[in-house]
Amino acid sequence: MKEQLKTMTAYLKTLWQKIQEPLRKVVSPLRFLNPKLYLTRLDRYIITKFIGTYVYSIILIISISIVFDFNENLSKFATYGAPAKAIIFDYYANFVPYFANLFSPLFVFISVIFFTSKLAGNSEIIAMLAAGVSFKRLLRPYLFSAALIAAVNFYLGAYVIPKGNQVKMEFESKYKNKRRVTSASNVQLMVGPGVIAYLQQYDDRSKTGYGFSLDKFENKKLVSHMTASSIRYDSISDERYHWKAQNYKIRTLKGLREEIVSGMVMDTLIQMEPMDLVFSKGQQETLTSNELRKYISKQTERGSGNVVQYEVEYHKRIATSFASFILTVIGASLSSRKRKGGMGLYLGIGLALSFSYILLQTVSSTFAINADTPPMLAAWIPNLLYVFIAYFCYRQSPN
């Protein structure tokens, strides 16, 4: 038995020696993925402080917001009979990520001001600078943390939160009596090259339109005119743009001749959907970035002018994520000095700057919607202004 164990052990050693070298060649390039090669102990220390304070501030402020929101809406929940499961999973489970992402610049700023002031108060930053670490080098872990937060914020805002907003808006319309727009009148839109659709009245609850007409033009001449007393969207069909027309009549014009076809019910494909007909407040927040881009492109091709708020939302998601870098530099520059008065003054300045940033975002969005400002410019105006503030604070920071 001992001889067999020795033989097996020797065999395993020989086998390990044979595969060790090829394995080393495969694993060796992966060592460059080790973050310890790029982040020193100082970097990891600051990143841990930054991310930890950021998460803590989110939990603290959002918890307070939930308490106030629940207290404000408790009577509505009771009046409309909202079940506890829906309140927790449909409303607050989507309430938390939405507002956490919305006020992320504020949380970033507060976090940087708070923990950097604490480092300065404990003379840790003085020790870092005295050891030969420049302020520019000191900002590296700050910007690395800001990049992580910006990436998470963008992913949540572009792909995760819009899906949650759909559920949250359904809950609000059912249990908070926030009535959504469910009808439209006198809707006209281009559904294809030279194809114009018109609806006298549309009801989104039944997905039915009344007083429908569809005109086709070739070389600016009318070649076909279709009318229907009602038209209903088939939401269970496997195909998109599937509509059912009732009491329809189609007039086809061929020179001086006219052909008329009529019937009771007809299945047809018309390149329009219910969301193209009814515009609800906040509808742009329920679309992912890919859906926003496709929707904007489709509506622009149709000549619709009701896409400004969608364009602002699309660009604002990118601009808000980029704000993490700007506010991080401002916060670190303001709070990196040790001062006798403590961090109260600079925490107040930080809060004022972050709130003014959020206010400027809202105002600039209004400019795009009501004052014909280009949507991309309107979304980036706060960042463009605060870049200069960040540069000024950086230049005034300790060397």
Side-chain angles (χ1 to χ4, degrees):
M1 188 68 179
K2 291 182 180 180
E3 291 297 329
Q4 291 177 346
L5 288 174
K6 288 181 179 179
T7 304
M8 185 174 292
T9 303
Y11 173 74
L12 291 175
K13 286 183 178 179
T14 305
L15 182 63
W16 172 247
Q17 290 175 355
K18 288 182 179 180
I19 66 173
Q20 192 173 10
E21 187 62 28
L23 186 63
R24 186 182 294 113
K25 291 181 180 179
V26 174
V27 176
S28 181
L30 298 179
R31 71 180 188 274
F32 295 107
L33 299 178
N34 186 359
K36 291 184 178 180
L37 292 176
Y38 310 101
L39 300 175
T40 63
R41 181 176 295 180
L42 174 62
D43 295 329
R44 295 195 296 273
Y45 175 72
I46 293 178
I47 290 171
T48 303
K49 289 283 188 181
F50 192 159
I51 301 297
T53 309
Y54 174 77
V55 173
Y56 177 78
S57 63
I58 286 179
I59 294 174
L60 181 63
I61 297 176
I62 292 297
S63 299
I64 297 172
S65 301
I66 290 175
V67 171
F68 279 100
D69 185 82
F70 183 76
N71 184 61
E72 181 182 352
N73 294 306
L74 181 59
S75 60
K76 292 182 179 179
F77 293 158
T79 301
Y80 294 100
K85 183 179 178 181
I87 294 174
I88 296 172
F89 295 102
D90 292 348
Y91 184 66
Y92 284 112
N94 297 303
F95 173 94
V96 171
Y98 173 77
F99 282 98
N101 202 63
L102 179 65
F103 294 108
S104 182
L106 173 63
F107 298 140
V108 168
F109 210 99
I110 291 175
S111 302
V112 173
I113 290 283
F114 184 81
F115 90 87
T116 306
S117 298
K118 196 171 182 180
L119 293 180
N122 294 334
S123 301
E124 293 180 67
I125 291 184
I126 294 176
M128 297 173 194
L129 298 176
V133 178
S134 65
F135 186 73
K136 181 179 179 181
R137 171 64 183 83
L138 187 63
L139 282 180
R140 183 195 294 179
Y142 283 90
L143 295 179
F144 182 84
S145 302
L148 290 177
I149 294 172
V152 172
N153 287 340
F154 176 75
Y155 179 76
L156 289 176
Y159 301 103
V160 178
I161 293 176
K163 299 298 182 183
N165 283 340
Q166 294 180 8
V167 179
K168 180 171 166 285
M169 289 178 66
E170 289 292 337
F171 177 91
E172 289 177 339
S173 63
K174 187 182 295 185
Y175 299 114
K176 291 182 66 178
N177 199 27
K178 282 194 173 183
R179 296 182 178 179
R180 300 176 62 182
V181 178
T182 58
S183 63
S185 58
N186 296 323
V187 180
Q188 182 174 336
L189 69 159
M190 186 167 65
V191 296
V195 183
I196 308 297
Y198 172 78
L199 282 166
Q200 187 176 6
Q201 191 72 28
Y202 176 76
D203 183 7
D204 192 52
R205 289 169 294 187
S206 61
K207 310 296 182 187
T208 304
Y210 304 94
F212 174 77
S213 67
L214 185 72
D215 295 326
K216 295 182 181 180
F217 295 87
E218 290 182 2
N219 298 323
K220 299 182 179 180
K221 291 183 179 181
L222 181 67
V223 296
S224 176
H225 176 70
M226 172 185 173
T227 59
S229 61
S230 65
I231 185 168
R232 182 172 59 84
Y233 185 70
D234 190 354
S235 57
I236 62 174
S237 174
D238 295 333
E239 296 179 294
R240 294 178 65 190
Y241 312 127
H242 191 198
W243 295 82
K244 288 187 177 182
Q246 294 184 337
N247 297 323
Y248 68 91
K249 180 184 290 186
I250 302 175
R251 298 171 57 197
T252 304
L253 304 176
K254 297 181 179 180
L256 298 177
R257 296 176 57 192
E258 181 180 26
E259 295 180 0
I260 299 178
V261 178
S262 61
M264 294 298 294
V265 180
M266 181 181 67
D267 291 342
T268 183
L269 294 177
I270 304 173
Q271 292 188 7
M272 64 180 185
E273 296 177 283
M275 67 177 299
D276 299 329
L277 305 174
V278 176
F279 301 95
S280 301
K281 183 179 180 181
Q283 181 176 312
Q284 68 274 14
E285 296 178 352
T286 65
L287 301 177
T288 65
S289 290
N290 290 337
E291 291 171 343
L292 270 176
R293 187 168 59 250
K294 292 177 183 178
Y295 181 83
I296 292 168
S297 176
K298 183 172 70 173
Q299 293 298 103
T300 303
E301 289 176 358
R302 290 175 172 176
S304 174
N306 194 24
V307 295
V308 176
Q309 60 266 41
Y310 294 87
E311 292 177 318
V312 171
E313 177 69 19
Y314 179 78
H315 293 295
K316 188 170 71 174
R317 292 176 182 178
I318 303 173
T320 303
S321 301
F322 187 78
S324 298
F325 296 98
I326 299 173
L327 297 178
T328 295
V329 173
I330 296 175
S333 302
L334 283 176
S335 57
S336 57
R337 287 183 179 180
K338 185 176 181 179
R339 296 173 174 86
K340 292 182 180 180
M343 66 176 180
L345 175 62
Y346 292 91
L347 184 59
I349 294 174
L351 287 172
L353 285 173
S354 54
F355 276 118
S356 64
Y357 175 84
I358 295 172
L359 177 63
L360 187 58
Q361 267 191 330
T362 305
V363 172
S364 62
S365 300
T366 305
F367 285 160
I369 296 172
N370 298 325
D372 295 330
T373 304
M376 186 175 181
L377 176 62
W380 281 88
I381 281 176
N383 287 347
L384 295 176
L385 293 178
Y386 274 72
V387 159
F388 292 103
I389 298 175
Y391 179 74
F392 174 79
C393 293
Y394 173 76
R395 295 295 296 177
Q396 298 297 320
S397 62
N399 296 317

